[in-house]
Amino acid sequence: MNIEHLLKVKAPIADVYRTLTTEKGLAAMWTRDLRVSEDVGGVSEFRFAPDDDKTDMRIDQLVPNQKVVWFCIDSHPEWIGTKISFDLTETAGVTTIILRHMEWRDVTDYYRLCNYHWAMFLLNLKQYCEKGIVST
């Protein structure tokens, strides 16, 4: 079972890709307490206050200006073993992002909450890429 979202961003694909693969970009859309690996096989670490929740993502695939894939190795138990992908395409200066959070075991309240939060994080990404607004 997957969570899936589609978002259109009025920004060049290179800007969106950079947002999804750098500390500066991910800090603008997700959390400021992070350490990001920019290499396939590396692990990016994300921390969320006030509960000091953490999420560690192994970088499984980076295709510049096309695709980013993470594999969750540590987080809330329902996230561990799931994959997150961002597929990117650009037409006439508008980048389309398809986010998939894959391999959920069940539809739970936590699944529903995460579905909502992914939508909000994508909105943050849109505001950052289009207007330079840092939302976290």
Side-chain angles (χ1 to χ4, degrees), residues 40-52:
V40 172
V43 175
S44 293
E45 302 172 4
F46 304 93
R47 303 294 176 261
F48 301 90
D51 301 323
D52 198 32

Side-chain angles (χ1 to χ4, degrees), residues 2-118:
N2 299 344
I3 292 171
E4 297 195 20
H5 291 276
L6 183 145
L7 178 70
K8 294 191 178 283
V9 178
K10 294 177 186 171
I13 199 167
D15 292 352
V16 175
Y17 181 81
R18 192 169 29 258
T19 299
L20 291 168
T21 57
T22 65
E23 281 194 15
K24 181 179 179 184
L26 288 165
M29 67 168 278
W30 209 14
T31 180
R32 291 186 186 159
D33 188 1
L34 72 167
R35 194 170 76 210
V36 172
S37 173
E38 295 183 19
D39 301 311
V40 172
V43 175
S44 293
E45 302 172 4
F46 304 93
R47 303 294 176 261
F48 301 90
D51 301 323
D52 198 32
D53 291 337
K54 70 176 190 161
T55 296
D56 293 343
M57 298 289 187
R58 185 182 67 220
I59 312 304
D60 278 1
Q61 189 176 8
L62 295 172
V63 181
N65 302 328
Q66 293 180 34
K67 188 175 193 93
V68 174
V69 179
W70 300 335
F71 180 82
C72 184
I73 60 173
D74 192 16
S75 188
H76 184 282
E78 291 185 44
W79 270 44
I80 296 172
T82 63
K83 292 181 189 177
I84 294 121
S85 69
F86 302 89
D87 291 290
L88 310 175
T89 56
E90 182 181 1
T91 304
V94 176
T95 300
T96 299
I97 305 161
I98 297 175
L99 167 119
R100 291 180 182 92
H101 191 160
M102 300 169 278
E103 301 179 17
W104 286 79
R105 291 174 286 284
D106 294 303
V107 174
T108 64
D109 286 345
Y110 190 72
Y111 168 94
R112 292 177 182 101
L113 180 67
C114 290
N115 193 351
Y116 167 79
H117 282 160
W118 275 123

